[in-house]
Structure formats: structure tokens, C-alpha cells
Amino acid sequence: MVESEHASLPLEGWLLRVDPATDRVTAGIPLPGGHPKAVGAGQGGIWVAGYRDRQDRPGDVIEHSPVLWRVDPATNQVVRSLSPLGSPATLLGRDTSPPSVLASHGAVFMSDPATGVVWQVDPHQHRFIGSMAIGQGGPLAAATGVVWAGGASSLVPLTGPNAGGDGPRLLDPLGPRITGLAASADTLWVATSDALYRIDRRRLG
């Protein structure tokens, strides 16, 4: 069982590194003022998606702007933190679901369900290179050579020849929304609040 380290941590965001051989926390990486929500690995780093405290003037309501941290697994240090320019702030209590982060296909993708946007980041130049509006979009996964986002009731391709177009529609638009995605070699698993769907390569093509 992994031992809890919460009692010894200051009130800020942290990324904890756990040794799978001993189930012990071996490093605590601080994310000052941050609220980490999702972690992904690939493209030369560990990527943490979340929100950072934002207060325009003393006494104003504390809002939260999207942020992506890059952590070097060799040094256990944050080497970059990125925020998309002009991204709207939000109140964390209003989030419909947590963000997702996926490092795949030569880029890093970060979703922000609160604003319905998925951003694409160049991991080498550490800059945002594109965005796409996805209604209630949050979960991300790569399957059949394409990066997919789960929208309100359908899958949306973020890469490939149909990027930004219509993907398989799975649900009644007024029914449960997509809450999670997971991929295998030729299958995409789609979770909602009350069901699990298996989508094979033929429907994703």
C-alpha cells in the first residue's frame, strides 16, 4: 500500500513519484499555486495538466487559468510551465470533468472541459500551436493512428485526414456525456456515467 504523504505537504500542487518496486514515494515535485488534474508521459517528458490560481486584483474572486507543466523525469524538476494566451479563467467548482493530457503523434494535447477547448502543444518549442472547440470535450486517447477527443455525445478526431470533422456518434445528445477514453491497438473504449462502449477499427476508420 502506498503511504500517504498529505500531512507533510504544503498547501500547493504536487506531483508525486512512486517507486513501483517498493510502493514508496521517492520524490515530491512542487507545482506552486497549481491544481494538477491529469498526468501524461511521452514526447521527452512528464506532462501535468491543471489550473493555476489567478487573481487580477486583491479582494477579487480567485479564478483558475489552464496550465501545462513539463517535468523532467531525470531530475524531478519542472522545466517549463505553459498557459495558452487569452484562455478564459474559470472557477474550479464549475468544471464538468477534469482535463486530460496526452503526449502522442509528435505533440502534446491538453483539454479543458470548463471551456470546451483542446489545445495542441509543440513539445520541442514549448508553445501552443493550435486549438479546437469540442463541446464538453475532456477525455483524450490515441487509437488507429489518430488522436481522439470525447465530445458531448460523439468522438472527434484531432489528427489525421478528418481532423476536426465528425467522428462516430455514440450517444443521444441529451443523454450521458463521455467521461473517459482508453485505447488498445485497434479498439477504443468509451466510458460514460452509466455504460462502457467498445468501438472497433471499422467504425473509427
Side-chain angles (χ1 to χ4, degrees):
M1 182 175 68
V2 178
E3 296 180 1
S4 173
E5 301 270 333
H6 292 175
S8 63
L9 296 181
L11 295 177
E12 60 183 352
W14 286 78
L15 175 66
L16 301 182
R17 184 168 187 162
V18 177
D19 184 342
T22 63
D23 292 336
R24 295 187 64 84
V25 174
T26 59
I29 303 164
L31 307 170
H35 302 269
K37 298 291 184 178
V39 179
Q43 305 300 315
I46 306 298
W47 304 88
V48 184
Y51 300 94
R52 177 181 285 155
D53 291 340
R54 167 176 156 178
Q55 187 178 40
D56 294 332
R57 293 182 299 274
D60 284 358
V61 173
I62 297 177
E63 297 178 316
H64 307 279
S65 57
V67 63
L68 180 68
W69 293 275
R70 179 175 185 164
V71 175
D72 183 347
T75 62
N76 294 328
Q77 298 291 322
V78 174
V79 295
R80 286 294 177 94
S81 62
L82 311 164
S83 291
L85 293 176
S87 61
T90 185
L91 299 177
L92 288 185
R94 295 181 182 175
D95 290 357
T96 55
S97 60
S100 293
V101 60
L102 176 70
S104 182
H105 292 66
V108 178
F109 298 85
M110 180 180 71
S111 71
D112 179 23
T115 57
V117 175
V118 177
W119 284 283
Q120 185 174 347
V121 175
D122 183 326
H124 306 293
Q125 299 186 15
H126 297 104
R127 64 185 183 90
F128 288 83
I129 57 176
S131 65
M132 189 176 299
I134 307 292
Q136 297 183 19
L140 303 171
T144 65
V146 173
V147 174
W148 299 89
S153 58
S154 64
L155 298 174
V156 179
L158 301 181
T159 61
N162 297 320
D166 293 332
R169 179 165 292 279
L170 307 174
L171 310 169
D172 184 319
L174 299 180
R177 59 185 174 80
I178 296 173
T179 58
L181 297 178
S184 61
D186 57 0
T187 302
L188 191 62
W189 296 89
V190 183
T192 71
S193 57
D194 61 1
L196 179 65
Y197 297 83
R198 176 177 177 172
I199 314 298
D200 65 21
R201 177 183 292 274
R202 289 170 296 177
R203 288 199 64 190
L204 294 174

mmCIF file of all heavy atoms in Angstrom, residues 132 142 167 176:
data_model
loop_
_atom_site.group_PDB
_atom_site.id
_atom_site.type_symbol
_atom_site.label_atom_id
_atom_site.label_comp_id
_atom_site.label_asym_id
_atom_site.label_seq_id
_atom_site.Cartn_x
_atom_site.Cartn_y
_atom_site.Cartn_z
ATOM 1 N N MET A 132 -8.876 23.538 -30.715
ATOM 2 C CA MET A 132 -10.110 23.096 -31.346
ATOM 3 C C MET A 132 -11.218 23.114 -30.303
ATOM 4 O O MET A 132 -11.024 22.675 -29.162
ATOM 5 C CB MET A 132 -9.930 21.678 -31.904
ATOM 6 C CG MET A 132 -11.081 21.208 -32.780
ATOM 7 S SD MET A 132 -10.735 19.558 -33.491
ATOM 8 C CE MET A 132 -9.253 19.902 -34.444
ATOM 9 N N ALA A 142 -5.362 7.911 -28.043
ATOM 10 C CA ALA A 142 -4.852 7.656 -29.394
ATOM 11 C C ALA A 142 -5.186 6.223 -29.781
ATOM 12 O O ALA A 142 -4.876 5.281 -29.050
ATOM 13 C CB ALA A 142 -3.353 7.883 -29.456
ATOM 14 N N GLY A 167 -16.798 12.445 -36.030
ATOM 15 C CA GLY A 167 -16.435 11.074 -35.735
ATOM 16 C C GLY A 167 -17.675 10.274 -35.416
ATOM 17 O O GLY A 167 -18.805 10.747 -35.586
ATOM 18 N N PRO A 176 -26.202 10.748 -21.282
ATOM 19 C CA PRO A 176 -24.949 10.868 -20.533
ATOM 20 C C PRO A 176 -23.807 11.300 -21.446
ATOM 21 O O PRO A 176 -23.749 10.928 -22.613
ATOM 22 C CB PRO A 176 -24.722 9.447 -19.995
ATOM 23 C CG PRO A 176 -26.050 8.785 -20.074
ATOM 24 C CD PRO A 176 -26.747 9.391 -21.247
#
